[in-house]
Amino acid sequence: MPSAFLLDLDGTLYTEGGPIPGAVEVLASMRGSTPFRCVTNTSSRSRAAILERLHRYGFDIGADDVFTAVLAGAGAARSQGATRLAPFVAEAALPDLQEFELGGGTSGRPLSTSPDAVLIGDLGDRWTYALMQEAFRYLMDGALFIALSRDRYWMRRDGLALDAGPFVVGLEYATGATATIAGKPSPEFFHGAVRSLGVGPEADVVMIGDDIWTDIQGAQRAGYQGWLVQTGKYRADKVAESGVVPERTLPSVAELLA
Ligand SMILES: [Mg+2]
């Protein structure tokens, strides 16, 4: 039995349709027996909104149990001394960035001066040429380039959908800059989540997720195990193509109850 679990949310514990069958019970059985953290790259909601959704789905979970890329992005901006931030994240995620002077992007406020940092998240079909152009100009003027994720796609109700990655890579291509990735698969993100569990460095930590690159390869590169679930965005052909070999592959997270 692993000493601690890191659990992805979207595609692993729930999808747009509701909780993955058995996931609520898995989390309930872990509580009090095995330390865990939920780690998500979702940048379409604040942590409070993510919690509200988890509670609606029946998960017994608190704010401290959830690590998000938006909070990690705020930490990255803070540690690099940024105070003025141009956010390109959904309005619903802005409450987690209140410590900064927000302007431009999706903040709904004008910028007084150029931003110290640009924060790129998943805007879905809200992306426009104008927003990409605005982010491009800030980056060319020297703003720090912080991306919440570089994820390629996720499983929406109607099928696979582009995530933040294609837009991040587009901006990298245009500017020649490389984004700092705040969420998964950044090793710092994984280490931060593990540290918060209070387990020692020798601990046998398992990351469970549906993204072969972000969840599985990311965890393995950080020194943890990666267990792949065949729910959410899972596709056998993409896994084979990736060359990444998960320590275990499970039909779903519910397998942990067996
Ligand atoms: Mg996922």
Side-chain angles (χ1 to χ4, degrees), residues 185-248:
S186 151
E188 291 74 33
F189 183 79
F190 287 109
H191 294 325
V194 171
R195 258 199 313 276
S196 77
L197 288 168
V199 297
E202 73 295 335
D204 183 16
V205 177
V206 169
M207 168 74 211
I208 302 180
D210 66 327
D211 190 306
I212 189 67
W213 301 283
T214 295
D215 294 325
I216 307 306
Q217 187 177 54
Q220 291 175 339
R221 286 184 173 166
Y224 309 118
Q225 287 190 56
W227 291 7
L228 182 68
V229 288
Q230 295 172 309
T231 51
K233 73 179 80 168
Y234 170 83
R235 284 178 53 149
D237 58 338
K238 292 295 166 196
V239 173
E241 222 176 272
S242 73
V244 179
V245 181
E247 273 78 10
R248 280 185 68 184

Side-chain angles (χ1 to χ4, degrees), residues 33-210:
S33 65
T34 315
F36 71 88
R37 283 288 178 271
C38 294
V39 288
T40 178
N41 274 359
T42 297
S43 49
S44 54
R45 297 157 195 256
S46 64
R47 175 159 64 179
I50 292 171
L51 277 171
E52 188 274 324
R53 179 178 187 180
L54 283 162
H55 291 156
R56 189 154 33 87
Y57 287 165
F59 290 99
D60 169 22
I61 196 159
D64 291 345
D65 297 324
V66 179
F67 246 65
T68 77
V70 179
L71 294 171
R78 191 188 312 125
S79 71
Q80 296 187 73
T83 58
R84 284 188 312 276
L85 213 67
F88 292 79
V89 300
E91 281 83 350
L94 294 177
D96 285 344
L97 301 173
Q98 283 315 314
E99 67 185 276
F100 299 98
E101 184 194 325
L102 300 178
T106 55
S107 70
R109 293 169 221 169
L111 262 182
S112 45
T113 53
S114 51
D116 301 323
V118 165
L119 203 69
I120 307 286
D122 173 25
L123 280 182
D125 52 20
R126 290 229 23 228
W127 274 118
T128 60
Y129 181 87
L131 281 171
M132 284 291 276
Q133 171 66 19
E134 186 185 344
F136 167 68
R137 285 278 175 86
Y138 296 149
L139 293 170
M140 290 302 277
D141 287 344
L144 292 166
F145 189 176
I146 301 172
L148 300 182
S149 95
R150 217 164 180 266
D151 291 359
R152 302 168 192 217
Y153 50 80
W154 64 289
M155 182 53 92
R156 211 165 57 182
R157 207 186 293 264
D158 63 342
L160 294 175
L162 292 178
D163 208 306
F167 300 91
V168 171
V169 173
L171 289 168
E172 287 180 333
Y173 180 67
T175 60
T178 303
T180 298
I181 309 297
K184 299 176 286 184
S186 151
E188 291 74 33
F189 183 79
F190 287 109
H191 294 325
V194 171
R195 258 199 313 276
S196 77
L197 288 168
V199 297
E202 73 295 335
D204 183 16
V205 177
V206 169
M207 168 74 211
I208 302 180
D210 66 327

Side-chain angles (χ1 to χ4, degrees), residues 11-30:
T12 302
L13 292 188
Y14 59 67
T15 62
E16 281 199 318
I20 299 281
V24 169
E25 292 74 14
V26 166
L27 221 65
S29 76
M30 274 183 196

